[in-house]
Structures are given as C-alpha cells and as structure tokens.
C-alpha cells in the first residue's frame, strides 16, 4: 500500500507528537552549479523533514557529479539499487528540487528515476519546490516542464561555454592541453601582459588570466626544426628521425624516447607554425565523442610565435599526403596486412608507429573508415564497432531523406516549413511531423528487430519512422505514428506487428505523399 506521506505530515499535529516517517535524502552538486552546494541542499531538506515529520536515516550524496548522465553517479545508482533490491529502510526520498535528479536531455530519464522509486512504494518529495508532489495533474505538468527546463539549461550552457571557448581560441588563447615538445605555456593577464611560464601540471588560478603558447628552450626549438629538416630536405622517414633523436639522448616533452608516431605528430601539428586550432573532436552534453569535419574546426592562424617556417610545414604535409596517394589501394592494404601479421592486432596507434606504412588517417580517408580497412585485411576487433559505422551512415542519410519528404509533400500540393534547429516539419500550417531513421538489428535466430526512439521532447503530431533493411543500406518500410497513440518513448518493432500497433504502414514514401494529398494525414493529426 502506497501511503500519501505528505498528507500525514501536514495533518496539523506538532511533529513531536507524530511518529516520524523514515526517509532518505539525495543531494547532488555538479561542477557547473557551485551555488547548489550539498550543505545548502541538506539544510533545506532537514528543515523540510522537521516541518513535515520525516526522520532522515540515510543520505546519498553525489558531489561534483554532472547531471547529464546516470553513468558515474555512484550515490544515485546506490539509492536505486537499495530501493529496487528491498534494501531501503525508509519510505520516502527527499530531494532539493527536480533538477537534482539530473539535467538529462531526455526529460523522461528524470521521470524514470522517480517512477522506479514509486513502483517500490517509496514517494519522492521535492523540498525546495513550490508544489506538492502529490500525483495531481498540476504537479505532473509542473514536473514535466521543470525536467525539460533542466535539460534546456544544460543545452544552453553548453552552447554558451562552446561559444566562449571558441571566441578565446579566435583571440589566440590556448584552451587546455599540453604545449608539446619545443613549446611552453605562458600565463598572461587580461591585458596580455606576461605573468610567468606554467610548468607541467600547473594551471591558471585567476579567471581573467589567459594562456598562450611561446617557444620553449632553444635546444628543443632547434630539435623541432631539425626534425622538419631531416624529413623535408634529407628525405628521412619518421622512424629514422626517432632513432637519431634517441641515439643523441633527446627525450620527448613527456620524458619518453621518441617513436615514429611522436615524430609524426610534430610534423602534422599546426601549433608549430603558430596556428591555434581547436574543436577537432567534440563531446557535447556527454552524449558521444564526435570527430568534426575540418570545416567546423575553430582556428586562429598566426596566433602564436611559430618555431617552424610555414613553407617548410606545408612541404612536410605535402610529403605525407603524397606518400599515401602514391600507393594503390592494394599496396596500402598489403602494408596493413604486414603490420597485422607482425603485431597480431591493429589500432590507430599501432599503424602510426609502423615503419614504412601510411598513417591511420590515410587509411580512414582512403577506405572510408579504419574499420573497413581492418575488414579488408581480415582483422576483426574484439569489440564490434560496426554499429558506429551504421549510425554514421544513417546520420549522413538523414538530411537527404528529410529533403525528399519535403519535396514530395510539396509536389503533392502541401506546404512545409522546417525548423532548422530541430528539423521538425510543420505541414499545411496544421500539424507537425518528425522523421526517425531506425537501424535494423538481427537476432541470433535471424529475426529482424527495430528499436524506435521517439522525439518525446518535440512531441510531433505525427512521426514518420523509416525502418532500414537488414543491411542498413536501403529502407525496409515506413510507419506513420500519430502522437495520440504513442504512450511509450521507445517502441520495439518486429517484422510484422499486426494490429498491436495502431499506425499506417507504407512500403514507400510515395504512399505517404498520396495520403498527404488526400488529407489523410490531416485526419490522423
């Protein structure tokens, strides 16, 4: 039996005369919200407990943990484990506010945490909120809005932080990372006046201070120039240059012997000519690491004092590019096969360290991805990374499919407007539609399955679900899912779903357009 503890706790009797309800407190402080310290949260939670007749018997604290993901939040995972494992010796969980569960980009993730507690008869109380979490329609609406606002806050903060960092890069300031061999980090004040050199492991302590790169010790600068001279003028390859440096007792900036890969990095990094480049990869909102195209890199050319002439740097890059271009596909694969036979394993680092072999980036550029190059020489990584390749292919396919839908609807006589930020389509100014492309999974028994994640944040009136075929190269069919029939954020579909799924199934988009012309979609919406 689930008891409404908030009703019992506010029955008008003094707290000392009531039997107190055992409760747990959960607090979280992220690095982005220092003002929400765990001490402040606990103080508010204790006042709420005293006023409403709760006895705090356990406290779960995630300190310095981002709320973007559940991963890494040991205290919250421990709480859920206790609740669902019948280890909880309390009947309620007290939380500072709705955002303490997390600032998930999908509001349903925060809702799921509360739901998992309620399923075990443990109610959640938000101590600093202005509403009672009593299951009423009003509280449900407010919670949904606040969860969405919490996620939006993180998204907006991410945009602001990215724009701020990008602006500092364009102004010529360094944004983290080791300086590299031959370079050093120089601390400057807000007016650009030097304040001192930062040693390894040291960081700036004043918010308005900035960091730039400057030439390092003369011996290291001369060594860098010598690396370029040996490579460009004397035709020495990276492995030979590494042997020369090691024979002379010269160590890298990490106090390690030189390797082919270490020399290669010196030859391809633009910081040695004074260019400030940032954003080659991104990890926004802790969703997934993405390798950005060069057109999206943030850069400031000539931001630092270069220690290598630009013309020499360009000649080195041209040699590296031509080295791979001169080889045929078969020749490149033969070299990769030789590396595999010698090492028994392949990785980007192993390839870059191999003598007389193109770089890993050359294989990725020539064959579309490293994984495809691996497959062509018969190497299968321990982990199955094929899903990454499929997801990348589907992301590249998405804009073309969306444009095809727009053109098809317009050809059928409809009007379509596209939200550039969300790709949500507004059709005939009457209803909204969203496109979801779903990859195909094959079970061990050979059956086909699809896992559909709906745009619950956008809540389109209609979702066009494109199910990919078994090879994930061609569409299998399309489903048109009305909003009113969608009660779950995730749908799991098999090849034939019968009458259990109330939706239109189309073999091609042409039927979709025909339905639009007959205003069938208008009736669904």
């Amino acid at each position: 039996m689930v008891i409404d503890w908030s009703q019992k706790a506010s029955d008008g009797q003094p707290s000392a005369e009531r039997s107190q309800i055992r409760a747990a407190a959960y607090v979280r402080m992220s690095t982005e919200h220092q003002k929400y310290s765990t001490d402040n949260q606990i103080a508010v939670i204790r006042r709420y407990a005293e006023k409403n007749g709760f006895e705090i018997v356990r406290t779960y604290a995630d300190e310095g943990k981002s709320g973007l993901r559940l991963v890494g939040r040991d205290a919250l995972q421990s709480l859920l484990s206790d609740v669902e494992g019948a280890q909880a010796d309390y009947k309620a969980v007290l939380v500072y506010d709705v955002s303490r569960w997390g600032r998930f980009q999908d509001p349903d993730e925060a809702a799921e945490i509360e739901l998992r507690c309620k399923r075990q008869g443990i109610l959640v109380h938000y101590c600093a909120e202005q509403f009672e979490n009593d299951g009423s329609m009003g509280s449900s609406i407010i919670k949904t809005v606040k969860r969405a606002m919490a996620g939006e806050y993180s998204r907006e903060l991410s945009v602001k932080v990215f724009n701020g960092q990008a602006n500092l890069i364009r102004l010529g300031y360094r944004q983290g990372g080791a300086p590299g061999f031959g370079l050093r980090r120089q601390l400057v004040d807000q007016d650009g006046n030097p304040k001192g050199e930062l040693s390894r492991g040291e960081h700036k302590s004043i918010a308005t201070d900035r960091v730039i790169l400057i030439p390092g010790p003369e011996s290291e600068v001369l060594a860098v120039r010598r690396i370029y001279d040996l490579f460009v003028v004397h035709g020495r390859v990276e492995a030979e240059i590494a042997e020369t440096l090691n024979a002379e007792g010269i160590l890298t900036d990490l106090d390690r012997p030189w390797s082919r890969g270490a020399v290669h990095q010196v030859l391809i990094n633009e910081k040695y000519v004074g260019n400030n480049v940032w954003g080659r990869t991104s990890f926004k909102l802790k969703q997934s690491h993405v390798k950005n195209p060069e057109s999206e890199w943030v850069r400031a050319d000539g931001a630092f004092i270069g220690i290598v002439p630009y013309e020499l740097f360009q000649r080195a890059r041209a040699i590296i590019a031509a080295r791979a271009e001169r080889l045929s596909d078969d020749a490149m694969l033969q070299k990769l096969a030789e590396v595999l036979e010698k090492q028994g394993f392949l990785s980007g680092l192993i390839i870059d360290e191999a003598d007389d072999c193109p770089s890993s980036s050359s294989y990725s550029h020539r064959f579309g991805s490293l994984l495809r190059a691996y497959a062509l020489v018969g190497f299968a990584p321990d982990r199955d990374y094929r899903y990454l390749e499929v997801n990348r292919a589907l992301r590249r396919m998405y804009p073309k499919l969306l444009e095809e839908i727009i053109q098809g609807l317009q050809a059928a006589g409809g009007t379509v407007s596209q939200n550039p930020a969300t790709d949500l389509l507004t059709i005939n100014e009457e209803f909204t539609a969203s496109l979801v492309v779903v990859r195909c999974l094959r079970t061990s028994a050979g059956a086909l399955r699809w896992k559909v994640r709906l745009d619950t944040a956008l809540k389109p009136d209609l979702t066009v679900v494109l199910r990919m075929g078994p090879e994930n190269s061609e569409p299998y069919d399309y489903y048109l899912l009305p909003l009113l029939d969608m009660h779950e954020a995730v749908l799991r579909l098999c090849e034939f779903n019968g009458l259990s799924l109330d939706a239109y199934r189309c073999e091609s988009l042409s039927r979709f357009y025909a339905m639009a012309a007959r205003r069938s979609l208008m009736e669904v919406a």
Side-chain angles (χ1 to χ4, degrees):
M1 177 179 180
V2 178
I3 302 174
D4 188 347
W5 295 113
S6 63
Q7 294 290 334
K8 286 186 172 292
S10 58
D11 58 5
Q13 299 179 29
S15 58
E17 300 177 6
R18 294 194 302 262
S19 59
Q20 290 189 314
I21 304 161
R22 295 173 65 85
Y26 173 75
V27 295
R28 177 183 65 82
M29 179 188 71
S30 71
T31 55
E32 293 86 4
H33 305 286
Q34 295 302 325
K35 66 177 182 178
Y36 288 124
S37 71
T38 52
D39 290 340
N40 290 340
Q41 293 176 52
I42 284 292
V44 172
I45 290 173
R46 289 193 182 280
R47 287 197 296 269
Y48 181 92
E50 292 172 2
K51 180 180 178 182
N52 294 279
F54 291 101
E55 177 190 4
I56 300 176
V57 297
R58 188 173 304 185
T59 299
Y60 300 87
D62 278 321
E63 299 190 13
K65 301 294 185 180
S66 169
L68 289 171
R69 297 191 301 172
L70 187 59
V71 176
R73 295 168 60 184
D74 297 336
L76 179 54
Q77 294 190 39
S78 178
L79 184 154
L80 294 174
S81 177
D82 289 345
V83 168
E84 297 178 330
Q87 301 297 317
D89 56 349
Y90 43 82
K91 289 295 183 180
V93 176
L94 308 184
V95 189
Y96 181 79
D97 63 12
V98 173
S99 70
R100 293 306 88 196
W101 286 138
R103 298 186 179 276
F104 302 105
Q105 293 307 290
D106 185 349
D108 290 341
E109 291 189 61
E112 181 190 16
I113 295 174
E114 181 177 336
L115 180 61
R116 291 169 67 177
C117 293
K118 290 174 66 177
R119 283 173 177 166
Q120 306 303 319
I122 296 178
L123 296 185
V124 175
H125 294 259
Y126 299 110
C127 304
E129 299 287 7
Q130 300 300 311
F131 65 90
E132 289 290 336
N133 191 22
D134 54 7
S136 65
M137 179 178 294
S139 67
S140 298
I141 292 174
I142 294 174
K143 282 192 298 183
T144 301
V145 172
K146 282 185 170 287
R147 287 164 185 153
M149 290 171 60
E152 181 64 12
Y153 178 87
S154 288
R155 190 196 67 80
E156 291 181 348
L157 182 63
S158 174
V159 172
K160 291 177 182 178
V161 170
F162 177 84
N163 290 337
Q165 290 177 313
N167 185 53
L168 291 175
I169 289 293
R170 295 186 183 99
L171 292 174
Y173 299 121
R174 180 77 170 173
Q175 290 294 293
F181 184 81
L183 299 170
R184 293 294 185 272
R185 294 179 300 150
Q186 171 75 58
L187 187 66
V188 298
D189 62 21
Q190 58 185 350
D191 297 319
N193 300 313
K195 297 184 64 175
E197 185 178 300
L198 294 175
S199 301
R200 186 188 304 175
E202 290 185 338
H203 304 280
K204 70 185 186 74
S205 57
I206 301 176
T208 55
D209 286 349
R210 299 288 177 247
V211 177
I212 62 173
L213 291 183
I214 59 173
E218 184 177 0
S219 59
E220 291 189 16
V221 172
L222 292 176
V224 170
R225 292 172 180 169
R226 186 180 174 202
I227 288 174
Y228 276 85
D229 182 69
L230 289 173
F231 184 76
V232 175
V233 179
H234 297 281
R236 305 277 291 276
V237 297
E238 292 94 330
E240 294 173 335
I241 297 173
E243 290 178 1
T244 299
L245 296 174
N246 291 331
E248 297 175 1
I250 300 175
L251 298 177
T252 68
D253 55 311
L254 300 178
D255 295 329
R256 299 172 182 171
W258 286 87
S259 64
R260 179 186 185 276
V263 174
H264 186 75
Q265 286 300 312
V266 172
L267 292 170
I268 65 174
N269 203 309
E270 294 186 49
K271 63 187 176 184
Y272 290 104
V273 295
N275 292 347
N276 199 16
V277 183
W278 181 73
R280 292 181 175 89
T281 62
S282 58
F283 188 39
K284 294 180 180 178
L285 296 173
K286 298 192 175 182
Q287 298 299 303
S288 60
H289 281 283
V290 177
K291 186 175 181 180
N292 299 319
E294 188 170 351
S295 60
E296 295 182 8
W297 295 357
V298 182
R299 61 188 306 124
D301 293 341
F304 312 126
I305 299 174
I307 62 176
V308 174
Y310 183 74
E311 186 270 339
L312 189 63
F313 177 79
Q314 288 294 86
R315 289 174 62 187
R317 290 189 65 173
I319 292 172
I320 293 173
R323 188 167 57 189
E325 290 297 331
R326 287 197 300 267
L327 296 174
S328 65
D329 290 357
D330 291 339
M332 288 186 67
L333 292 175
Q334 177 61 35
K335 290 183 177 294
L336 189 61
E338 292 173 358
V339 174
L340 175 60
E341 182 178 0
K342 180 179 180 180
Q343 300 290 339
F345 184 81
L346 289 178
S347 70
L349 180 61
I350 289 177
I351 296 172
D352 288 336
E353 294 288 357
D355 295 333
D356 192 29
C357 182
S359 64
S360 58
S361 59
S362 297
Y363 280 101
S364 180
H365 177 74
R366 178 72 68 88
F367 298 102
S369 70
L370 271 179
L371 292 177
R372 184 166 183 270
Y374 292 165
L376 292 173
V377 295
F379 171 67
D382 292 338
R383 293 181 59 187
D384 186 0
Y385 291 94
R386 287 176 296 176
Y387 72 96
L388 295 175
E389 298 300 317
V390 171
N391 288 345
R392 293 191 187 104
L394 295 185
R395 281 196 294 269
R396 291 193 295 267
M397 183 188 302
Y398 185 88
K400 298 178 181 179
L401 291 170
L402 198 64
E403 182 62 26
E404 180 184 344
I405 289 177
I406 293 173
Q407 294 177 356
L409 289 170
Q410 291 173 341
T415 61
V416 186
S417 61
Q418 178 183 358
N419 186 314
T422 64
D423 286 331
L424 190 67
L425 303 180
T426 300
I427 301 173
N428 294 340
E429 300 182 355
E430 293 284 346
F431 64 96
T432 57
S434 174
L435 172 65
V436 177
V437 181
V438 188
R439 64 190 182 97
C440 181
L441 304 172
R442 191 184 293 274
T443 68
S444 57
L448 304 182
R449 296 290 185 266
W450 293 265
K451 187 176 182 180
V452 183
R453 295 185 181 275
L454 300 173
D455 289 328
T456 53
L458 300 179
K459 295 195 180 301
D461 297 314
L462 189 75
T463 299
V464 180
V465 177
L466 188 161
R467 301 200 303 180
M468 297 301 294
E471 301 302 323
N472 286 295
S473 58
E474 297 291 338
Y476 183 77
D477 61 11
Y478 302 82
Y479 271 90
L480 310 181
L481 308 180
L483 173 64
L484 295 179
D485 292 328
M486 295 299 104
H487 304 291
E488 300 290 339
V490 177
L491 296 178
R492 290 172 174 81
L493 305 181
C494 56
E495 294 179 66
F496 302 100
N497 298 282
L499 299 176
S500 62
L501 186 65
D502 185 11
Y504 289 96
R505 181 170 179 266
C506 309
E507 296 300 333
S508 66
L509 280 177
S510 59
R511 185 180 173 192
F512 174 33
Y513 306 142
M515 292 170 65
R518 296 195 305 268
R519 300 179 62 84
S520 296
L521 295 183
M522 300 282 287
E523 295 171 7
V524 173

